[in-house]
Amino acid sequence: MNSTPSGADKAPVSGRDRTVIYLSILTALFLAALDQTIVATALPRMVEDLQGIDRYAWVATAYLMASTALALVYGKLADTYSRKLVTLGAIGLFLLGSILCGLSGELGDLPLLGDGMTQLVIFRGIQGAGGGGLFAMTFIVIADLFTPAERGKYQGYVGAVFGVASVLGPLIGGLLTDRAGGWLPGVEGWRWVFYVNVPVAAVALWFIIRRMPRLEPTGERLPPDLLGSVLLLSGLIPLILSLQIDKRAYPWTSPETLTLFVIGVVLLTGFVMRSRSSPSPILDLRLFGNRVFRTANLTTFFFGAAFMSVTIFLPLFLVNVLGVSATRAGAALIPFSLGIVTSATLAGQIVNRVGYRSQLFLGAVLFLLSVVLLARMGPDVSYWMITLYMILAGLGAGPSMPLLTLAIQNAVDVRFVGQATSASQFFRQTGATVGAAIMGTLLATTLGLAFAEIEMPATWAGDSDTPLEELVSTGGADLPDRISLLYLGLAEDAANPAAATALVAEGAAVTDRIMSEVREAFSLATSRIYWLTALIMLVAALLTLRIPELPLRTTHDRVG
């Protein structure tokens, strides 16, 4: 499936229009990237207002499932129909989902859609369907606007967009949630987290409609394989669910998890078989015969797993081991984002001179080094030292964002650039999903074993109100208050004031001892997570050396 150009075409867009289209597509991408972090900040207030704490995680899971499951479908659509129309469809779907999310619960319970929290979960799925398309179509449209030799510079800015969004998202989310409630009477502040997308997306839509040409794909165009699409979506959804559902409630060996996993694997096997025989598959499996495509996507999978592991579990360590506030824990990810912005932009600027393989390898080594440093953290590590580790991690992770996609696009036949690009997004998100599931299981297992060794107050022996599962799920956050109440109760029944004072002092000592052991348990769990992440990054680093270095094309090649 290597590119075999029959000639060099001029750029389909030139001059100022190209810049306007590029900025418009980045604006739409910024909204989708911002949405992932801005919603996380406002989510506690959402579930409080909609009374849906039991479905807290589903708000993120619905978005992830939709965006991952549809990534490959968008790639096929882009290789079949006008890329302008596909892009407009993705933005429109994201915009519709945003409006509906903001309206969740406003009309009370609705037939089929249920209560406000269920509506929010469903509408987040719609928003994810559009957001996933925006991620894929950004790289695909950039591929049409710029030659591979130019493309690295512009795709580097895409990594910068993600970095800026991850920094601004929590700040804007908190500001809107806390302050925007007074903008319109009766409209809660968290709803503006979704409504704020409307005017910005509308501007992006207007410029794309007015300035972007249709960008028709080249070569023979057959309708996408409908049956293959159904098998793909029907298989990915239960498979992702089997990885994402709470493993404390549904362990890996539970009938529910195994059933979802088996259904997903069976249906995806059917998808692969269908793709082999279909004249117009959603993902042409011949692409895997291309060594760059095959190796770069495998590398992307491991980068995605490592990236997610670093970002999810660092705040957990900071809060439960170092005892910092949630705000400071979230702020610790800002240096990571700034590192990504810097290295992703720089990598795109210099790829023409130094190539992509050396940069990918150097980035993977830096990321590996940072993860090893994170794995060696103990309860005595300083906050500022962690900040340095995260800067190093961001500098290492950044080059992979533009360069892996660029390597894939440059290597494949341009008739399949949509499928190839969306496959890169698909494997990165799948890696993140698998990584989060495995690391979450490792966390729960380590905490469960460690907490089982903690010697609780004797009066709690056999107390069903303090089961091990509860300690694992809460991280022991309420233990100090419960121990204090226990010993205060004992002190009230003491025979004399001296005995009461001794009991209170004993309670303080027991609290200090137990919480020290809880911190050690979290430190051990985090260390194991990051050592496993280091192993993942070692594999990724070795894989980067296996990616063939091909010269970047300097023309808008067309085949057929």
Side-chain angles (χ1 to χ4, degrees):
M1 301 293 295
N2 290 332
S3 178
T4 56
S6 61
D9 290 348
K10 295 180 180 180
V13 187
S14 59
R16 189 172 59 181
D17 281 352
R18 188 164 69 160
T19 301
V20 170
I21 294 168
Y22 176 70
L23 293 177
S24 299
I25 199 73
L26 282 191
T27 300
L29 175 69
F30 177 74
L31 287 179
L34 187 71
D35 188 73
Q36 297 189 37
T37 53
I38 196 173
V39 170
T41 306
L43 192 53
R45 188 70 59 82
M46 296 180 196
V47 298
E48 178 184 336
D49 284 352
L50 299 177
Q51 300 178 7
I53 189 65
D54 57 319
R55 286 156 286 173
Y56 185 99
W58 283 97
V59 176
T61 300
Y63 189 100
L64 177 66
M65 282 197 305
S67 60
T68 303
L70 288 171
L72 295 177
V73 175
Y74 273 108
K76 179 61 179 179
L77 292 175
D79 283 342
T80 308
Y81 304 110
S82 161
R83 286 164 185 172
K84 175 180 181 177
L85 295 181
V86 177
T87 302
L88 290 175
I91 296 176
L93 203 56
F94 179 80
L95 193 55
L96 174 63
S98 297
I99 295 171
L100 291 175
C101 284
L103 292 172
S104 297
E106 289 279 54
L107 302 177
D109 293 358
L110 297 175
L112 301 179
L113 298 178
D115 62 7
M117 191 64 188
T118 302
Q119 293 170 33
L120 179 62
V121 170
I122 294 172
F123 297 152
R124 277 288 283 171
I126 296 174
Q127 195 182 32
L134 285 176
F135 293 144
M137 293 308 301
T138 296
F139 285 101
I140 294 170
V141 170
I142 289 175
D144 265 338
L145 296 178
F146 306 99
T147 68
E150 301 173 297
R151 203 175 298 159
K153 175 171 62 175
Y154 294 98
Q155 289 185 346
Y157 294 136
V158 173
V161 166
F162 277 98
V164 172
S166 64
V167 172
L168 294 181
L171 301 176
I172 297 175
L175 180 65
L176 291 175
T177 301
D178 294 336
R179 303 291 179 84
W183 290 358
L184 283 178
V187 179
E188 295 89 344
W190 63 262
R191 297 185 187 276
W192 288 102
V193 166
F194 300 109
Y195 292 150
V196 74
N197 293 331
V198 176
V200 183
V203 172
L205 275 174
W206 188 84
F207 277 111
I208 290 173
I209 291 171
R210 292 289 303 272
R211 309 297 281 272
M212 182 187 285
R214 289 181 60 83
L215 297 179
E216 299 284 357
T218 60
E220 184 181 9
R221 289 186 282 171
L222 299 174
D225 179 21
L226 181 59
L227 178 57
S229 301
V230 172
L231 288 171
L232 175 65
L233 299 179
S234 301
L236 282 174
I237 290 175
L239 184 63
I240 293 172
L241 277 177
S242 72
L243 298 174
Q244 287 285 306
I245 56 176
D246 188 351
K247 293 304 181 292
R248 292 187 299 271
Y250 303 100
W252 287 102
T253 55
S254 68
E256 294 85 355
T257 300
L258 289 176
T259 299
L260 287 170
F261 185 82
V262 170
I263 290 174
V265 169
V266 169
L267 290 173
L268 289 178
T269 301
F271 165 72
V272 171
M273 295 175 64
R274 173 66 181 178
S275 297
R276 290 182 182 277
S277 61
S278 172
S280 182
I282 297 300
L283 178 63
D284 196 316
L285 299 183
R286 291 177 296 171
L287 286 167
F288 288 96
N290 183 306
R291 185 177 166 192
V292 174
F293 178 88
R294 184 174 62 247
T295 311
N297 274 320
L298 188 58
T299 306
T300 297
F301 177 89
F302 285 107
F303 261 102
F307 188 97
M308 184 62 70
S309 299
V310 168
T311 55
I312 287 180
F313 296 102
L314 181 69
L316 196 70
F317 175 87
L318 290 168
V319 171
N320 292 284
V321 178
L322 298 191
V324 307
S325 66
T327 300
R328 289 195 75 197
L333 294 176
I334 293 178
F336 181 60
S337 301
L338 295 178
I340 290 175
V341 170
T342 301
S343 61
T345 304
L346 179 62
Q349 297 291 325
I350 66 175
V351 67
N352 267 345
R353 296 192 295 273
V354 301
Y356 51 77
R357 184 168 60 186
S358 58
Q359 292 195 77
L360 287 169
F361 177 69
L362 178 60
V365 170
L366 288 177
F367 202 176
L368 171 60
L369 175 61
S370 69
V371 174
V372 170
L373 292 172
L374 290 171
R376 292 170 56 84
M377 293 187 304
D380 57 342
V381 68
S382 71
Y383 182 88
W384 299 111
M385 188 60 68
I386 294 175
T387 299
L388 293 177
Y389 297 164
M390 294 307 290
I391 292 174
L392 185 63
L395 291 174
S400 69
M401 301 188 77
L403 297 188
L404 285 169
T405 301
L406 174 63
I408 291 169
Q409 291 178 334
N410 184 64
V412 302
D413 189 314
V414 293
R415 293 173 299 178
F416 302 95
V417 71
Q419 295 175 58
T421 303
S422 62
S424 176
Q425 176 194 339
F426 171 79
F427 282 110
R428 182 181 292 274
Q429 290 187 196
T430 303
T433 303
V434 173
I438 293 174
M439 301 305 176
T441 301
L442 180 59
L443 173 71
T445 301
T446 303
L447 291 181
L449 294 174
F451 286 174
E453 298 296 322
I454 296 177
E455 182 182 350
M456 295 295 179
T459 52
W460 274 357
D463 185 356
S464 61
D465 291 335
T466 316
L468 179 61
E469 292 79 5
E470 180 184 336
L471 293 181
V472 174
S473 64
T474 63
D478 61 343
L479 280 178
D481 290 339
R482 298 182 68 168
I483 295 172
S484 177
L485 288 174
L486 171 66
Y487 278 90
L488 285 175
L490 294 174
E492 290 178 358
D493 297 333
N496 54 67
T501 301
L503 283 169
V504 172
E506 180 184 350
V510 169
T511 299
D512 289 342
R513 173 183 62 79
I514 290 178
M515 293 312 297
S516 176
E517 294 182 47
V518 168
R519 285 192 292 272
E520 289 290 345
F522 272 101
S523 180
L524 175 63
T526 307
S527 178
R528 289 180 175 177
I529 286 169
Y530 285 138
W531 278 121
L532 181 55
T533 304
L535 179 60
I536 291 172
M537 276 312 305
L538 177 61
V539 175
L542 294 175
L543 283 171
T544 61
L545 296 176
R546 302 282 296 172
I547 301 174
E549 181 84 61
L550 302 181
L552 297 179
R553 296 194 310 271
T554 58
T555 58
H556 287 274
D557 298 320
R558 290 291 182 268
V559 176

